[in-house]
Amino acid sequence: MNPEPRTSQALNALTVAFLALTLAFLLDLWGRPLALTEIPPVDPQFTNTATVRLSIADQIAAGADPSDWDCYICHDRKKPPQLRFDENQNLLIPEEHEDIQLHHGSHNRNNNCFNCHNENNLDLLQTRDGRELKLAESTPLCGSCHGPTYRDWEAGAHGRANGHWHDSFGPRLRQACVACHDPHAPAFPQQKVGPGPYPLRPVDIPTAHPQPPH
Amino acid sequence: MGDPQPTPPHPPTASPRALTRRSFLRASAVFGGGLAALAAALAPLRHLDDFPTLDQFLQKYYRELTPAEMERILRRIEAEVEREYGVRPQVRDVKPLTGVEYVYAHNLTRCIGCRRCVHACVAENNLSRTPEVQYIRVLRLPHGSLDMEKADHNYAPEWVPEPDHFYMPVQCQQCRNPPCVKVCPVHATWQETDGLTVIDYDWCIGCRYCAAACPYWARHFNFTRPSIPKGQLNPDMAYLGNRPRRQGVMEKCHFCIQRTRVGRYPACLEVCPTGARKFGNILDPESEVSYILKHKRVFIQLKEELGTSPRFYYYFDV
């Protein structure tokens, strides 16, 4: 018999506790890593640096046929086209131009083609102060009405820029108004939204199926 | 004299301290059990596979490195990245430019909340895809207030912008008075002369004090080993920028140091479809950001009452 039964009991208990701990550690009862749910890759459209639309100049540079913008293939040079309006003074767009959605300005009063196009030479644009511009060089035309925005654009505060933040490092590519705005409906179009952040813990991801403990 | 008394034989129960077979076995059981428990507790160490090499272990602090040592480290990092990702990157140590202080300006009127900046940043800066680390968090706020309690970054309509809301991306504000730098116990993060607060990922001990100190939620911790799919690695890297990070270190937006210090725009700016993001040198009076700060309604530095004085300005078009 051990003369000190309490010591003996304590030692026995310690041994059992240590063996239990050994088992627990080996089975990894805690600290088992959560299985990470693979987050799907992001659609490349969300990292594309292209502008939301292509201007005429961009399309011609990309190899489009310039004759697509030759108005006098259909129109007659000697006969300026006549605009037709309905009883509410809304412009009736002829079916040959039905791809044009005219929403320039929320008031819907800027609905006259010849506010911007030159009715006597449809291949040209015309500012309200009488300057004539080519179709592919429309930026000063926009600026002739949108003065503050044009001023900001010239200073670099409006519109996209790519390239270099100072000319000493390399070129800075500025975009024309019509690279982002449809001149017939210039409000910036709604865009698809990129995927939002996933929760940090995989079990918090709603679609995730945490692996059963094994 | 009396004959000497013979020494009495050792009594079997003489001293309770005497080592008996029984007490030896018992002590051995306790000792052995303890050892086994210790070994089992340390067993996960067997799965540790990214022990630092001697070179990594002995690497010095970024600001104490000589150019020759830096060169050797950059080549070593290139080799390590190539071994792991199969792409030979170009890792550079880009130094700040003199006479340059970077400033970001963000146009709240133009931002539509499409999150392209978030994902362009992930691709450019080699951020972990699973789990996600994202430097930019786009907040959606209702019109008419700047109450951060009403901000939501989990908005998920199909199309943006939504009516009656505006969007406010938040990333590292590159404070002039950065709380994250003050709390770092090992000086692994500091402010450079061009205003960028950078991190030496090899000096960071992962204590996350900086994440706790940052009022903008801009610092992100690699809780697991970052995973970047092969073939999606951006090979244009900077030591203080987008080289792959290890598990257990902090990272954050550095205004694309690998791009901006060689004159290029940051990736988030180039991808922005609306041109809401503007970037440049505030010390240059002709720069875009100087124009904006002079002429536009620059209404805040986010949480300016904290005195951090961000280099990231939000403004409105008028």
Side-chain angles (χ1 to χ4, degrees):
Chain A
M1 265 306 283
N2 194 309
E4 290 184 43
R6 288 187 59 189
T7 310
S8 160
Q9 275 166 18
L11 289 177
N12 284 341
L14 259 182
T15 308
V16 171
F18 279 148
L19 290 177
L21 269 178
T22 308
L23 204 67
F25 280 127
L26 284 181
L27 292 178
D28 206 1
L29 291 188
W30 51 84
R32 178 176 297 150
L34 293 163
L36 286 177
T37 310
E38 203 63 33
I39 292 172
V42 171
D43 190 314
Q45 67 165 310
F46 295 118
T47 51
N48 188 351
T49 56
T51 51
V52 296
R53 67 191 297 277
L54 288 175
S55 65
I56 294 176
D58 290 338
Q59 292 182 52
I60 291 174
D65 182 359
S67 71
D68 288 356
W69 293 280
D70 184 353
C71 305
Y72 291 110
I73 288 178
C74 304
H75 286 280
D76 185 351
R77 257 182 210 284
K78 294 177 191 117
K79 213 163 59 178
Q82 294 298 307
L83 300 184
R84 289 180 297 124
F85 296 87
D86 68 9
E87 63 276 13
N88 296 324
Q89 290 302 304
N90 288 322
L91 179 71
L92 295 171
I93 294 173
E95 62 183 34
E96 292 85 355
H97 284 308
E98 64 186 0
D99 55 324
I100 293 176
Q101 299 283 326
L102 203 59
H103 294 292
H104 197 129
S106 51
H107 45 62
N108 215 21
R109 292 197 304 270
N110 191 13
N111 60 354
N112 187 320
C113 304
F114 305 123
N115 283 355
C116 298
H117 293 277
N118 183 335
E119 61 186 309
N120 297 314
N121 185 353
L122 296 172
D123 288 337
L124 293 179
L125 301 165
Q126 181 168 297
T127 63
R128 298 319 300 150
D129 57 9
R131 282 176 291 157
E132 291 185 336
L133 301 162
K134 287 182 188 158
L135 284 179
E137 295 164 1
S138 57
T139 298
L141 171 73
C142 308
S144 71
C145 290
H146 298 275
T149 311
Y150 189 57
R151 175 200 67 203
D152 285 351
W153 178 82
E154 284 192 310
H158 179 100
R160 297 186 60 154
N162 293 70
H164 299 82
W165 52 262
H166 194 274
D167 302 330
S168 61
F169 297 105
R172 174 181 351 202
L173 178 65
R174 302 299 316 281
Q175 299 291 347
C177 309
V178 288
C180 301
H181 300 284
D182 179 347
H184 297 120
F188 195 81
Q190 280 198 316
Q191 300 292 312
K192 274 232 158 78
V193 71
Y198 283 81
L200 186 62
R201 275 157 41 96
V203 288
D204 295 335
I205 299 178
T207 52
H209 303 289
Q211 292 194 344
H214 41 80
Chain B
M1 309 296 162
D3 48 346
Q5 255 193 330
T7 321
H10 216 72
T13 57
S15 157
R17 296 211 174 159
L19 192 64
T20 63
R21 176 184 160 81
R22 181 177 296 241
S23 63
F24 173 76
L25 285 178
R26 190 166 278 141
S28 303
V30 175
F31 187 67
L35 264 188
L38 182 68
L42 296 179
L45 286 179
R46 282 175 311 174
H47 306 300
L48 214 63
D49 54 356
D50 55 349
F51 277 114
T53 62
L54 195 64
D55 273 350
Q56 287 172 330
F57 189 73
L58 297 177
Q59 183 179 321
K60 284 200 290 187
Y61 183 37
Y62 173 81
R63 292 198 277 185
E64 292 170 354
L65 291 170
T66 63
E69 288 170 325
M70 190 74 232
E71 196 57 31
R72 220 172 39 244
I73 290 169
L74 295 178
R75 298 294 87 76
R76 194 197 74 216
I77 293 172
E78 284 178 356
E80 286 166 6
V81 173
E82 186 177 20
R83 207 174 313 132
E84 185 162 351
Y85 295 96
V87 187
R88 182 78 182 182
Q90 195 201 3
V91 188
R92 290 162 301 154
D93 175 35
V94 277
K95 296 291 186 195
L97 302 161
T98 47
V100 172
E101 182 181 341
Y102 296 115
V103 154
Y104 220 116
H106 180 267
N107 190 336
L108 290 172
T109 313
R110 300 289 168 207
C111 180
I112 58 170
C114 64
R115 293 206 187 98
R116 277 166 176 72
C117 49
V118 177
H119 297 293
C121 167
V122 168
E124 166 70 25
N125 289 310
N126 296 321
L127 302 187
S128 175
R129 313 301 207 269
T130 303
E132 270 180 346
V133 174
Q134 295 178 344
Y135 290 168
I136 305 174
R137 179 186 310 277
V138 186
L139 303 179
R140 183 187 68 177
L141 287 143
H143 269 165
S145 94
L146 246 177
D147 181 0
M148 288 296 146
E149 298 290 320
K150 292 183 186 151
D152 174 19
H153 66 242
N154 289 316
Y155 63 91
E158 192 180 354
W159 299 92
V160 284
E162 301 155 277
D164 303 325
H165 287 91
F166 73 97
Y167 301 88
M168 182 170 188
V170 180
Q171 61 204 77
C172 176
Q173 307 277 306
Q174 308 292 357
C175 307
R176 292 180 177 82
N177 187 16
C180 54
V181 168
K182 283 186 221 165
V183 295
C184 181
V186 294
H187 296 256
T189 183
W190 65 91
Q191 202 175 164
E192 298 257 281
T193 54
D194 56 3
L196 302 183
T197 295
V198 293
I199 304 170
D200 182 354
Y201 308 117
D202 290 334
W203 207 249
C204 173
I205 57 171
C207 68
R208 298 193 267 143
Y209 287 12
C210 54
C214 175
Y216 304 106
W217 216 353
R219 290 196 164 243
H220 302 273
F221 187 64
N222 286 290
F223 282 98
T224 67
R225 196 192 179 98
S227 81
I228 305 161
K230 277 191 180 173
Q232 292 192 27
L233 196 77
N234 173 13
D236 177 24
M237 295 177 186
Y239 182 92
L240 295 173
N242 59 344
R243 67 187 169 112
R245 272 74 61 185
R246 286 175 295 117
Q247 179 177 4
V249 299
M250 271 294 166
E251 56 178 304
K252 70 167 191 71
C253 161
H254 38 74
F255 282 1
C256 286
I257 205 166
Q258 66 280 359
R259 297 168 68 108
T260 51
R261 279 193 178 167
V262 295
R264 297 172 64 200
Y265 278 123
C268 50
L269 183 146
E270 291 208 323
V271 83
C272 179
T274 65
R277 289 171 163 270
K278 294 291 164 192
F279 176 86
N281 177 12
I282 190 64
L283 302 182
D284 171 10
E286 305 295 316
S287 67
E288 295 163 9
V289 284
S290 291
Y291 176 89
I292 288 165
L293 297 194
K294 256 182 264 167
H295 294 103
K296 308 299 277 187
R297 286 195 189 173
V298 180
F299 80 103
I300 48 163
Q301 298 163 308
L302 186 56
K303 299 189 182 180
E304 65 183 341
E305 70 278 11
L306 299 178
T308 51
S309 191
R311 289 190 180 85
F312 198 106
Y313 295 89
Y314 296 91
Y315 71 100
F316 286 121
D317 262 349
V318 187

